[in-house]
Amino acid sequence: MRLVGFLCVLVWPAFGQYSVHQDGDVIRLEDGARQTVVSVMPSRGNNAFQMTVKGKNVLQFPFASAAEFKSRGSFSGIPFLEPWANRLDETAFYANGKKYPFNLGLGNVRGPIPIHGLVSTASQWEVVEAKADQNAAWVTSRLEFYRYPDWMAQFPFAHTIEMTHRLQNGTLEVTVKLNNLSTAPMPVALGFHPYFQVNDAPRDDWTFSIGARTYWLANQNIPTGETEPIGKFLPQQPQGGSLKGLKLDDLFSDLIRDANGRATMWVQGKSEKIEVSFGPNYKAAVVWFPAGPSQNFICFEPMAGITDAMNLAQKGVYKELQYIPPGQTWQESFWIKPSGF
């Protein structure tokens, strides 16, 4: 099913507390018992652009409507970054020991520091399932990357992407599955760029925790290869501390895992709290908290590898770059859990 325009409203059967609604090309997942609604727009990067709890938005959304969000180019909600997240140190990437220069004439890669991949606002996602049962509401969409020559010219690894947004017990799980259709191992350097906010306190009163042990020094947001313990850079971390006076756009790894392999970051106001848990295949996180009182958000960004992972792996700086063997898949989830709303 391809969703086009803002012309109709469809409602799938509800199962107890869960239901799914389609409003044009927006799909809404609802958990009635927890008064939580997640809005997903497949036609704009398959972005979950709103998550409201009792009418309060967990995600930063500086637009008057879904139509305005679709028509404007700025990032918001939960943008998906693929084939690479954040920055590269040159207009090329390396895989399997080979250099792949970008064709800047195609206009889909920005230089000289390419950023955020190729598909963050892609309209080519197809919805393959939107359902609710007694346990959850979810929507699964698919992007057939290999069908688009301008993408393949930049990243010549044929693959498909499946993404599922699942709302269950007030928690949103975002699952990505990559299928490598090429004849060579495919590097995985994807990520997400979620914009989180709490509503019951000014930003100077927010507290936060980064569930990581290691901080990467950087030049122009590209890791230099040097690291130090997170407590040397942020003395209050990883136990948690105040955001007052801080400005962050920094990379962290060696994530602190629980028994299920999940690493958790959180931000909290007076009582409102957002916990973001990364599955084990998310090896790193960028945390962005820009200066200025109008910038009322913090980003905890799940990343399959550090910034510039493919190129730093070629240089021997980074040892954890993941690959998908030919014909195989890669899959991982992260979870957004609001409380205190």
Side-chain angles (χ1 to χ4, degrees), residues 12-35:
W12 281 268
F15 289 84
Q17 72 190 68
Y18 297 107
S19 59
V20 181
H21 306 261
Q22 177 190 337
D23 183 359
D25 58 358
V26 176
I27 293 182
R28 305 192 194 279
L29 313 175
E30 297 195 15
D31 178 343
R34 290 169 176 80
Q35 300 177 56

Side-chain angles (χ1 to χ4, degrees), residues 154-170:
Q154 310 291 27
F155 188 81
F157 292 87
H159 67 287
T160 63
I161 309 165
E162 289 185 2
M163 188 186 306
T164 298
H165 295 88
R166 180 181 299 270
L167 181 60
Q168 184 174 31
N169 296 326

Side-chain angles (χ1 to χ4, degrees), residues 169-324:
N169 296 326
T171 296
L172 174 63
E173 178 183 5
V174 182
T175 302
V176 174
K177 181 179 180 181
L178 301 183
N179 301 280
N180 182 10
L181 306 179
S182 71
T183 59
M186 172 180 151
V188 182
L190 62 80
F192 287 83
H193 200 305
Y195 291 72
F196 299 109
Q197 64 181 18
V198 289
N199 305 271
D200 64 345
R203 60 177 260 152
D204 278 354
D205 293 342
W206 295 1
T207 55
F208 77 119
S209 175
I210 300 173
R213 299 182 180 88
T214 299
Y215 162 70
W216 289 75
L217 281 68
N219 180 18
Q220 293 186 304
N221 295 105
I222 301 292
T224 64
E226 300 174 276
T227 63
E228 59 185 33
I230 190 173
K232 185 175 180 181
F233 173 64
L234 292 169
Q236 73 272 55
Q237 297 297 323
Q239 292 79 13
S242 174
L243 278 162
K244 186 174 183 178
L246 290 181
K247 176 183 177 182
L248 300 173
D249 193 0
D250 297 282
L251 173 66
F252 304 89
S253 66
D254 191 16
L255 305 186
I256 300 170
R257 309 278 180 182
D258 64 15
N260 296 314
R262 299 183 188 179
T264 298
M265 324 277 169
W266 56 259
V267 62
Q268 183 169 1
K270 291 179 181 177
S271 63
E272 295 178 7
K273 184 176 185 179
I274 304 167
E275 296 175 274
V276 187
S277 297
F278 298 9
N281 284 330
Y282 287 119
K283 305 294 186 181
V286 165
V287 180
W288 185 33
F289 185 71
S294 64
Q295 303 295 318
N296 247 3
F297 61 82
I298 185 170
C299 298
F300 298 116
E301 304 174 29
M303 296 173 61
I306 66 169
T307 300
D308 201 32
M310 294 183 288
N311 294 355
L312 292 178
Q314 173 69 17
K315 297 173 183 177
V317 171
Y318 184 58
K319 308 297 184 183
E320 293 188 282
L321 179 63
Q322 300 177 71
Y323 277 90
I324 310 170

